[in-house]
Amino acid sequence: MNKQLLEIRELNVDVGEKEILKGINLTINKGEIHVIMGPNGSGKSTTANVILNNPEYTKTKGSIIFDGEDITNSRTDEIARKGIFMSFQSPEEIPGVSVTNFLKYSKNKVTGEPVKIFAFKEEIKKYVEELNMNPKNIERDLNVGFSGGEKKKNEILQMLVLNPKLAILDETDSGLDVDAIKTVSKGIEMFKNDDNAILIITHNTKILHSLKVDYVHVLVDGKIVKTGSQELAREIEENGYAQYRK
């Protein structure tokens, strides 16, 4: 059985006339947790957005293979249906759409199958309890008036409900206190299994204190300059990124 889930080959990306990614290579196998770390402006969020083919970014070279299929030029909605989920650094507020209805709509669009309401609500209730979320929040408008921690927990709830093959978490730990980070880490552990994978994008190591990850990649100036184990993250926590800058 092929364990490879995502392969990025020699990827170069521009935003406007500026080159952001400069020959990225990355392979993620099923059952793995990968982390991309780097200073602000190094291209971390660009990498996440390009996998989903955000039209603001222009690929000038390279390819992205997901679960054996070339998705380099696929539409974002097609990529999502193939099994890639992305949480956002600053989740959008959507007035007039409750969390429950948003999840139901998203689940239907991803699976293409009708949602069984009773079982669906029971599933959400279970996750809400395990993530220590306020149960009233799932009937509120999506992210409207939510604190930063509530928004990030809601992103993890979406990941668990949609159950993608690959979850990309972009700065999920940004602005969270210690307790919220532990809850997010618990959600990641609940999600992880031998058939899916996780890519965490971050510039610090807070979220890694409660997680065991397989690979850490250091991204500086649009290039992966080093790959290592979780020990590499500890090294960065102590010494920063200065040694990797030109």
Side-chain angles (χ1 to χ4, degrees), residues 112-154:
E113 300 175 356
V115 175
K116 297 178 180 178
I117 300 300
F118 180 77
F120 183 69
K121 287 188 174 182
E122 285 298 307
E123 180 184 23
I124 292 177
K125 180 181 177 182
K126 179 187 71 172
Y127 291 143
V128 164
E129 289 174 353
E130 294 193 35
L131 294 173
N132 196 29
M133 296 175 66
N134 184 341
K136 294 180 180 179
N137 283 357
I138 63 172
E139 301 306 328
R140 292 171 58 186
D141 289 356
L142 182 66
N143 291 325
V144 176
F146 285 21
S147 68
E150 288 172 333
K151 288 181 178 180
K152 298 302 177 71
K153 288 181 182 180
N154 194 37

Side-chain angles (χ1 to χ4, degrees), residues 1-218:
M1 182 180 68
N2 184 17
K3 292 286 288 181
Q4 184 173 291
L5 188 59
L6 180 77
E7 183 182 11
I8 299 175
R9 302 172 180 168
E10 291 294 331
L11 190 62
N12 288 53
V13 174
D14 293 352
V15 176
E17 297 183 358
K18 183 178 181 181
E19 186 178 38
I20 304 297
L21 298 184
K22 306 168 184 178
I24 294 290
N25 289 286
L26 177 67
T27 299
I28 298 177
N29 294 317
K30 296 174 183 177
E32 294 179 345
I33 298 179
H34 287 240
V35 179
I36 294 180
M37 300 185 67
N40 291 332
S42 59
K44 303 185 304 298
S45 291
T46 296
T47 302
N49 278 281
V50 166
I51 294 171
L52 271 291
N53 202 17
N54 185 321
E56 294 182 13
Y57 302 85
T58 302
K59 304 182 190 75
T60 59
K61 181 184 175 184
S63 60
I64 301 173
I65 309 299
F66 178 68
D67 209 13
E69 183 177 352
D70 190 329
I71 61 167
T72 309
N73 299 310
S74 297
R75 296 197 318 268
T76 300
D77 62 317
E78 293 174 338
I79 295 170
R81 282 196 294 271
K82 292 180 191 300
I84 299 182
F85 167 87
M86 178 176 167
S87 74
F88 295 95
Q89 185 173 352
S90 300
E92 292 287 332
E93 297 184 1
I94 305 180
V97 179
S98 71
V99 172
T100 298
N101 284 338
F102 176 81
L103 289 171
K104 183 171 66 174
Y105 175 82
S106 299
K107 183 82 169 181
N108 172 259
K109 286 297 182 182
V110 168
T111 65
E113 300 175 356
V115 175
K116 297 178 180 178
I117 300 300
F118 180 77
F120 183 69
K121 287 188 174 182
E122 285 298 307
E123 180 184 23
I124 292 177
K125 180 181 177 182
K126 179 187 71 172
Y127 291 143
V128 164
E129 289 174 353
E130 294 193 35
L131 294 173
N132 196 29
M133 296 175 66
N134 184 341
K136 294 180 180 179
N137 283 357
I138 63 172
E139 301 306 328
R140 292 171 58 186
D141 289 356
L142 182 66
N143 291 325
V144 176
F146 285 21
S147 68
E150 288 172 333
K151 288 181 178 180
K152 298 302 177 71
K153 288 181 182 180
N154 194 37
E155 294 276 281
I156 297 299
L157 174 64
Q158 291 173 38
M159 177 186 73
L160 291 168
V161 170
L162 297 178
N163 192 29
K165 296 177 183 176
L166 173 65
I168 303 172
L169 307 180
D170 185 15
E171 302 282 4
T172 302
D173 54 343
S174 176
L176 299 185
D177 61 27
V178 173
D179 290 337
I181 288 174
K182 287 182 178 179
T183 299
V184 167
S185 298
K186 178 182 178 181
I188 293 172
E189 292 287 1
M190 288 164 56
F191 168 74
K192 182 181 177 295
N193 61 49
D194 291 339
D195 294 318
N196 62 27
I198 301 166
L199 175 61
I200 298 171
I201 310 289
T202 187
H203 67 273
N204 59 50
T205 62
K206 289 189 297 182
I207 197 169
L208 306 185
H209 293 172
S210 303
L211 284 175
K212 183 180 184 302
V213 305
D214 297 288
Y215 295 98
V216 175
H217 311 277
V218 180

